[in-house]
């Protein structure tokens, strides 16, 4: 599972040009005309999250649902080498 840090932003890119609904832990996020969802982690507390992308069925694509998980950490911890 990828780890992101509070205060960083990351992007989810949708690969096809169709109606997609993206949620993180049930909260919807807007998909831009360019197929990208930009996640501003300053709005997410540290913790584990589930991202869901639901593609609506149409004459070109079958409907589909995909989920992935990621973690959001409150700080970047550096290991010291001794």
């Amino acid at each position: 599972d990828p780890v992101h840090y509070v205060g960083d932003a990351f992007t989810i890119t949708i690969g096809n040009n169709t109606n997609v609904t993206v949620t993180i832990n049930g909260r919807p996020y807007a998909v831009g005309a360019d197929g990208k969802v930009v996640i501003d982690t300053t709005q997410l507390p540290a913790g584990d999250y589930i991202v869901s992308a639901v593609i609506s069925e149409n004459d070109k694509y079958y409907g589909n649902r995909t989920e992935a998980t990621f973690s959001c950490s409150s700080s970047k911890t550096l290991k010291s080498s001794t």
Side-chain angles (χ1 to χ4, degrees), residues 6-71:
V6 173
D8 292 344
F10 66 95
T11 302
I12 297 170
T13 302
I14 307 300
N16 63 16
N17 195 11
T18 188
N19 185 19
V20 179
T21 302
V22 174
T23 61
I24 297 179
N25 284 10
R27 178 179 171 216
Y29 282 78
V31 179
D34 59 358
K36 295 182 179 180
V37 180
V38 177
I39 309 302
D40 177 5
T41 59
T42 60
Q43 303 300 313
L44 298 176
D48 296 324
Y49 293 89
I50 298 172
V51 179
S52 297
V54 179
I55 298 172
S56 301
E57 186 168 340
N58 61 28
D59 59 343
K60 194 172 183 180
Y61 299 103
Y62 290 112
N64 194 4
R65 178 187 182 100
T66 300
E67 290 188 346
T69 60
F70 71 93
S71 296

